[in-house]
Amino acid sequence: MVNYKLRVWVVLKGRVKFGDGRAQLLELIDELGSLKKAVARLGMSYRNAWGYLRELEEAAGFKILEREAGGGPASGTRLTRRGRAFLAQYWRFREAVEKGAGRKFKQVFGKR
């Protein structure tokens, strides 16, 4: 059976790649309210993830994460409004690319 696999990245400032794995990281941070919990779930290094997120914010030109100290229910790390919008844009772009690639794959290889 013939199939295809597609990898998509958005490249910011020619050097910072943002793809599915990083998008999942942002989703988990927002869901769990914690970078530490998100990286643990994904099996990533906290230090590497933190460094990448700083680079991403610098390349994007806006804050993606907001951090609240204090230990109460409002504390933790979550996406900013612009961070959520960026993530949603990425997933819309990703879906459009996947649909286009799927159509082209069927044109070239036919239905299998």
Side-chain angles (χ1 to χ4, degrees):
M1 174 179 213
V2 176
N3 211 340
Y4 73 97
K5 182 172 180 145
L6 188 65
R7 291 183 188 235
V8 175
W9 290 285
V10 173
V11 181
L12 294 95
K13 290 198 174 177
R15 69 186 199 303
V16 179
K17 293 189 293 184
F18 184 83
D20 290 0
R22 304 304 166 99
Q24 291 170 349
L25 173 62
L26 291 183
E27 286 180 336
L28 277 175
I29 291 168
D30 208 39
E31 176 188 328
L32 301 173
S34 166
L35 174 59
K36 185 177 179 181
K37 289 177 185 176
V39 296
R41 186 171 293 178
L42 292 173
M44 296 175 75
S45 154
Y46 180 90
R47 182 177 178 206
N48 288 342
W50 185 246
Y52 169 77
L53 292 167
R54 281 194 321 243
E55 284 182 312
L56 178 62
E57 286 184 335
E58 180 183 321
F62 58 88
K63 288 286 185 190
I64 291 175
L65 299 175
E66 56 188 359
R67 297 152 198 92
E68 290 292 330
S75 67
T77 303
R78 291 193 172 61
L79 298 183
T80 62
R81 184 180 309 227
R82 288 191 73 186
R84 282 189 193 97
F86 174 77
L87 184 59
Q89 287 173 315
Y90 171 76
W91 285 125
R92 282 194 306 274
F93 170 70
R94 177 70 170 87
E95 183 179 344
V97 169
E98 186 69 42
K99 284 180 182 176
R103 283 192 301 271
K104 185 52 84 175
F105 181 81
K106 286 178 185 173
Q107 287 175 355
V108 172
F109 289 97
K111 293 183 181 182
R112 303 228 173 211

